[in-house]
Amino acid sequence: MAEQHQFQAEVSRLLDIVANALYSDKDIFLRELISNASDACDRLRYAALTDKKIAKDVPEKFELRLISDSDARTLKLIDNGIGMNKEEMIDNLGTIAHSGTAKLVEEIGKAKKDKKEDALNLIGKFGVGFYSAFMVADKVEVSSRKAGDDKAWLWVSDGRGAYTIDETLKDNAGTEITLHLKEDEGFYLLEERLRQIVKKYSDHIDFPIYFGEEDDAEPINTASALWIRPKNDITEEQYAEFYRGVSGAGGFDKPWSTMHWRAEGALEYTCLLYIPDMKPFDLYDPKRQHSVRLYVKRVYITDSIEGLVPPFLRFLRGVVDSEDLPLNISREMLQNNPVVAKISSGLTRRVLDELRKKAEDDPKGFEDFWAMFGPVIKEGLYDAHQYRADLNKVVRFYSSKADGLTSLDDYISRMPEGQKHIYYISGPDVETLRNSPQLEGYNAKGIEVLFMADTIDEFWLPVAYDYEQKTFKSITRGSADELAEIETPAEKGKKGKKKSAAADKEKLKTEMEPVIAKLKEILDGDVKDVRLSDRLTESPVCLVAQDSDVDMHMERMLKKNQGYEELAKRVLEINPGHPVIKELKKLVANDKANDILSDTAWLLLDQARIIEGDPLPNPAEFARRMSRLMEQGMLLKA
């Protein structure tokens, strides 16, 4: 008696969307099914090396076979791979065990609603390629026997919310998928049409694909691994189609970059790697692994080995084929294998060198890549010190001077004489940083400041410390005394003027001492210190952290994500040249203006907090103070 099961809720929704969506290229259903069948053969080939119990089920030759029946209106795809047992059928065909299921349903639904046909080419991206069969079939049967098992199972569904599983008979291990084609999909029974689809999408599959049941038939695909072919013999479209196969990318997606090389010498291995042109939705999922498949002498081993690709390159897709690893190596032994470690090192440096060249040769195009994967690349500066020198040549930043992204080398080349630090400012986004008051003095001096707007910046900067003997220094921490030591081109050779400026600064400091003392008195307990600013030229005030304190943006981030109790007290810097501060100086000299002085002091502090994005401790009091000062101003004018 066949058991009936309901699809996982999201699978049911997905099937409805897929089956009824106006899909831009239905042919990809065959690509998806062939890709799954190829994987099944790969897995049996590998499993047989480590599990002698299934040796009896390993065929003399792995193959895939397409059989069409015009009378029955069925198309079959048969493989002699590893097969599935009952539990695996439920897991693989009735459930999408992936955190991205809801996301996929949402994106496909939106694409359908917006009538964006290309946007519907998402099927393979989330590991649900099998369900594309329901675009052309109103009923799907899957008969399978797992290698090493005696029982075979039959899965049947019309894609409308339920499926059945029953025991069946099958002579050999593998899977047979039977598609009962819809009325208007009869052309998928034509041999010539099937040959064209296989040639276009699956020519690179490493197993022969036959049409018909004849034993002496010729394969309809090339049946050789694409990565072992000479680069000159591979077309751009073949590279792109292989990318769609190994990455699960649907439709006509193309990789942002393709890297194909063979390493020879002490170690021999071949790499065919891709960088996607879209950011994976789960790029920052802690459980996410890379999707680079490891082969040994063209035998598939695994696609989830730790240590082959560093975490900061986890967006890579493709294959690595080693000539030096033993075929019967277990996946556990691979984890700490020195050959894998050496391949990883060579692969990583090669990819970083390719990225460096891309950044130099096509800066505009590189901006697209950096927008998607820049924060991930910068993770390597924090936790992969062995690649830091290579990464420093790749990483890019927006800055206060550069048009577009800039490199660390370009930044250093523009540094004026006397500059000892690589200055940066961190914050939530580039636009906010461009308007930071702490930038004013540096802009006036023509000193470039890098914008650090990624969360990871707060972690790698303290670890990296310096580059080319230039230390990284935040412009929102400590004093900005060093600004006076850096000479602009206009200041060069004017020693007397520099000495005069120093004298004027001392005089101003003495004159402003009463103002600073009064502000400290009023704001006692809310600021750590009050001092004259070397970095302000237009704004009246700003907040900075002391050298010994955590940088302000970092502390706000820690409070938000890790429950810091409260922010540390900051230093309030004042601009003695600003009209408000000049008026404040007059108020200090007038003992009768204490109320106005107090309101002004608190409003200046709140203004500095607002600019930094900090919440006001008492918004109602802020509003009352603002109203009182506005009233005073109106009375004076009257």
Side-chain angles (χ1 to χ4, degrees), residues 144-303:
S144 191
R145 179 163 76 82
K146 186 168 184 178
D149 287 1
D150 295 326
K151 290 184 177 181
W153 299 91
L154 177 66
W155 181 100
V156 182
S157 178
D158 60 5
R160 296 178 182 173
Y163 61 90
T164 62
I165 291 183
D166 196 6
E167 198 169 332
T168 189
L169 297 176
K170 197 172 189 304
D171 294 335
N172 55 290
T175 300
E176 178 179 310
I177 299 176
T178 303
L179 307 183
H180 295 262
L181 298 178
K182 296 176 180 179
E183 283 298 323
D184 55 348
E185 307 295 352
F187 37 78
Y188 288 115
L189 296 168
L190 302 176
E191 179 179 353
E192 188 56 36
R193 180 63 180 270
L194 296 172
R195 283 178 177 271
Q196 290 173 355
I197 296 172
V198 169
K199 193 69 179 175
K200 180 179 180 181
Y201 289 122
S202 305
D203 194 51
H204 61 272
I205 294 296
D206 201 26
F207 304 102
I209 304 172
Y210 299 101
F211 181 83
E213 300 182 73
E214 294 79 10
D215 292 335
D216 59 348
E218 292 292 320
I220 60 177
N221 65 320
T222 303
S224 66
L226 188 77
W227 61 89
I228 65 172
R229 300 187 206 169
K231 291 173 65 174
N232 294 338
D233 294 347
I234 305 172
T235 66
E236 185 177 339
E237 180 52 37
Q238 286 174 322
Y239 272 131
E241 190 49 50
F242 185 73
Y243 161 74
R244 288 190 278 267
V246 297
S247 70
F252 300 96
D253 292 353
K254 292 183 179 180
W256 180 80
S257 178
T258 302
M259 294 163 280
H260 187 191
W261 78 92
R262 178 174 176 79
E264 297 179 328
L267 283 180
E268 292 190 7
Y269 59 92
T270 301
C271 291
L272 175 51
L273 301 175
Y274 300 93
I275 295 174
D277 65 350
M278 290 177 62
K279 180 168 65 176
F281 76 97
D282 60 346
L283 186 62
Y284 296 102
D285 187 335
K287 297 178 182 178
R288 190 180 191 282
Q289 296 178 324
H290 65 80
S291 296
V292 175
R293 300 179 180 184
L294 176 65
Y295 285 73
V296 174
K297 300 179 179 68
R298 265 71 66 201
V299 176
Y300 171 76
I301 305 297
T302 181
D303 61 359

Side-chain angles (χ1 to χ4, degrees), residues 313-384:
L313 293 179
R314 60 184 176 272
F315 49 81
L316 287 177
R317 303 285 189 271
V319 300
V320 175
D321 193 345
S322 169
E323 298 291 331
D324 299 288
L325 289 166
L327 271 171
N328 61 348
I329 191 168
S330 70
R331 297 181 186 181
E332 290 74 23
M333 291 175 63
L334 280 170
Q335 300 295 335
N336 299 306
N337 189 283
V339 174
V340 173
K342 289 178 181 177
I343 292 175
S344 175
S345 178
L347 175 159
T348 301
R349 296 188 193 282
R350 178 66 179 259
V351 170
L352 291 177
D353 191 52
E354 290 291 331
L355 289 176
R356 177 189 59 79
K357 291 175 183 175
K358 281 265 193 181
E360 293 172 356
D361 297 342
D362 183 16
K364 280 291 183 187
F366 192 77
E367 284 195 36
D368 295 333
F369 164 81
W370 197 251
M372 292 186 291
F373 302 117
V376 178
I377 291 284
K378 285 194 280 189
E379 289 177 14
L381 293 170
Y382 174 70
D383 59 14

Side-chain angles (χ1 to χ4, degrees), residues 553-570:
H553 180 56
M554 174 66 159
E555 191 176 47
R556 281 194 296 273
M557 188 173 62
L558 290 174
K559 181 180 181 182
K560 179 180 179 181
N561 297 314
Q562 297 187 19
Y564 260 36
E565 289 300 320
E566 60 178 284
L567 299 175
K569 301 296 185 293
R570 298 304 180 195

